[in-house]
């Protein structure tokens, strides 16, 4: 059987396919003209002989999965808070606000006890005009050291998820409910959320994204002021302060529970449909 790819090219293809396999995607649509079009498995794409002659000059095949046909998004669902309005809902917009002003007002914040153990405030990072904002719960150890959100192992997975959507990190904005690391990575406490939330509100109001993706149960339950488990509303479109919001699993959870990546990928495909994003086109060979 003729050699199809060099070892390095084969490795690149393997890495790309392994990532999609992690997302639960095992079928790929190939586009090789009338004779070769169809569905291929990971194994077939890696080891099957080529339908036509292939040389090293041909770019790395982008074996991207064909997005599932998108259904029209159901009308936004409002999760009724268990008691009283969410403190987020009652927050008034700050006139002529900017991210810079918000950061300046935050200053070297000591508004809650989390300031005592932090190294760096993790304000947020990304495109100030992003259509898509990811909101996590709070910084971890890597984030606390670098002052940037989602830079540890979970952050790398988030980056892969963003890239799988056909975006780059610089296209989106990423921030957290609280800006300082809770000790031992515990969930932020209500007084800490209350002290920090005005700054998250100002970030969202300034950026005014089309879609907010809430990462993880704590962030989702905190923002939505609900006691319902995330599995009850994950992947549903919610209405929140005039924005469309979707909650999905936190990347750290996906590291512990890889099969859940397939659920998250379904959620992100809904977000892509809402934003009018399509997966990058496959290269024709
Ligand atoms: S978590 Fe927020 S409110 Fe608390 S000290 Fe840090 S920046 Fe201030």
């Amino acid at each position: 059987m003729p050699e199809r790819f060099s070892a390095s090219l084969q490795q690149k293809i393997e890495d790309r396919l392994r990532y999609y396999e992690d997302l639960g995607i095992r079928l790929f649509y190939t586009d090789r003209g009338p004779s070769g079009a169809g569905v291929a498995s990971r194994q077939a794409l890696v080891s099957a002989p080529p339908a036509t002659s292939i040389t090293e000059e041909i770019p790395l095949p982008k074996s991207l999965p064909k997005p599932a046909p998108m259904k029209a998004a159901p009308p936004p669902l409002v999760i009724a808070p268990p008691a009283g309005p969410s403190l987020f809902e009652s927050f008034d917009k700050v006139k002529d606000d900017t991210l810079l002003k918000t950061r300046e007002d935050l200053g070297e914040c000591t508004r809650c006890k989390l300031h005592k153990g932090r190294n760096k405030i993790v304000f947020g990072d990304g495109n100030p005009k992003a259509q898509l904002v990811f909101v996590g719960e709070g910084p971890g150890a890597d984030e606390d050291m670098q002052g940037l959100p989602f830079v540890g192992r979970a952050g790398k997975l988030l980056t892969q998820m963003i890239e799988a959507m056909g975006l780059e990190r610089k296209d989106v904005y990423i921030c957290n409910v609280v800006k300082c690391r809770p000790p031992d990575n515990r969930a932020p406490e209500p007084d800490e959320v209350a002290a920090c939330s005005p700054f998250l509100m100002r970030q969202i109001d300034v950026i005014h994204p089309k879609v907010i993706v809430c990462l993880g149960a704590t962030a989702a339950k905190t923002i939505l002021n609900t006691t319902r488990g995330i599995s009850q509303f994950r992947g549903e479109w919610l209405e929140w302060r005039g924005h469309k919001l979707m909650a999905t699993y936190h990347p750290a959870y996906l590291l512990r529970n890889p099969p859940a990546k397939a659920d998250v990928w379904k959620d992100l495909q809904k977000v892509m449909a809402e934003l009018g994003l399509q997966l990058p086109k496959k290269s024709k060979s």
Side-chain angles (χ1 to χ4, degrees):
M1 185 179 293
E3 273 286 310
R4 189 181 181 190
F5 303 123
S6 67
S8 66
L9 190 54
Q10 174 110 356
Q11 188 58 53
K12 281 184 188 172
I13 297 169
E14 288 273 6
D15 290 347
R16 174 72 66 92
L17 292 175
R18 192 170 298 115
Y19 172 65
Y20 283 111
E21 200 168 61
D22 281 348
L23 291 176
I25 298 162
R26 292 181 176 79
L27 291 179
F28 299 87
Y29 289 81
T30 58
D31 188 358
R32 295 189 182 285
S35 62
V39 180
S41 68
R42 175 183 188 277
Q43 185 60 30
L45 282 172
V46 172
S47 60
T52 57
S53 74
I54 292 176
T55 68
E56 289 297 322
E57 282 74 49
I58 293 173
L60 176 66
K62 290 195 168 53
S63 310
L64 294 167
K66 194 173 186 175
M70 302 294 177
K71 291 185 199 155
L77 163 80
V78 178
I79 293 186
S86 157
L87 78 145
F88 294 103
E89 292 290 346
S90 58
F91 183 80
D92 288 333
K93 283 190 180 178
V94 174
K95 197 162 175 281
D96 299 327
D97 205 7
T98 65
L99 287 180
L100 187 60
K101 270 201 225 171
T102 307
R103 180 66 189 89
E104 283 173 357
D105 289 348
L106 184 66
E108 279 307 299
C109 184
T110 57
R111 290 171 181 83
C112 83
K113 57 188 177 296
L114 290 182
H115 81 276
K116 292 178 190 162
R118 74 162 180 247
N119 279 301
K120 288 189 176 163
I121 289 178
V122 181
F123 180 68
D125 187 41
N127 184 345
K129 295 190 172 153
Q131 287 209 312
L132 174 58
V133 170
F134 289 94
V135 181
E137 167 186 326
D142 294 307
E143 290 76 17
D144 177 61
M145 291 309 296
Q146 296 185 41
L148 291 168
F150 284 89
V151 289
R153 279 183 69 221
K156 289 200 175 88
L157 181 56
L158 177 61
T159 302
Q160 286 183 318
M161 289 156 54
I162 291 167
E163 289 173 353
M165 298 171 77
L167 296 169
E168 296 178 42
R169 269 182 78 119
K170 65 180 172 54
D171 297 323
V172 305
Y173 194 84
I174 306 172
C175 55
N176 287 298
V177 172
V178 293
K179 315 293 185 208
C180 301
R181 182 191 181 200
D184 303 319
N185 294 332
R186 67 158 167 78
E189 293 174 353
D191 60 314
E192 297 156 358
V193 172
C196 215
S197 60
F199 298 96
L200 173 64
M201 292 303 88
R202 288 177 62 177
Q203 286 171 298
I204 301 280
D205 287 345
V206 168
I207 298 167
H208 198 64
K210 197 167 175 190
V211 172
I212 299 166
V213 171
C214 227
L215 296 168
T218 303
K221 288 159 82 171
T222 301
I223 284 183
L224 296 165
N225 190 26
T226 180
T227 53
R228 295 170 65 190
I230 187 172
S231 59
Q232 293 178 40
F233 56 85
R234 193 218 96 236
E236 302 285 344
W237 281 117
L238 308 172
E239 170 77 34
W240 182 72
R241 282 176 61 90
H243 299 279
K244 291 195 91 168
L245 181 147
M246 183 175 288
T248 194
Y249 295 129
H250 195 284
Y253 172 74
L254 300 182
L255 290 173
R256 299 191 302 272
N257 185 18
K261 286 180 183 174
D263 288 331
V264 172
W265 181 235
K266 281 185 207 149
D267 300 344
L268 294 182
Q269 284 184 299
K270 290 183 190 171
V271 172
M272 289 169 67
E274 183 63 29
L275 295 175
L277 293 173
Q278 293 190 334
L279 288 169
K281 284 221 164 69
K282 309 175 286 296
S283 60
K284 284 192 178 181
S285 54

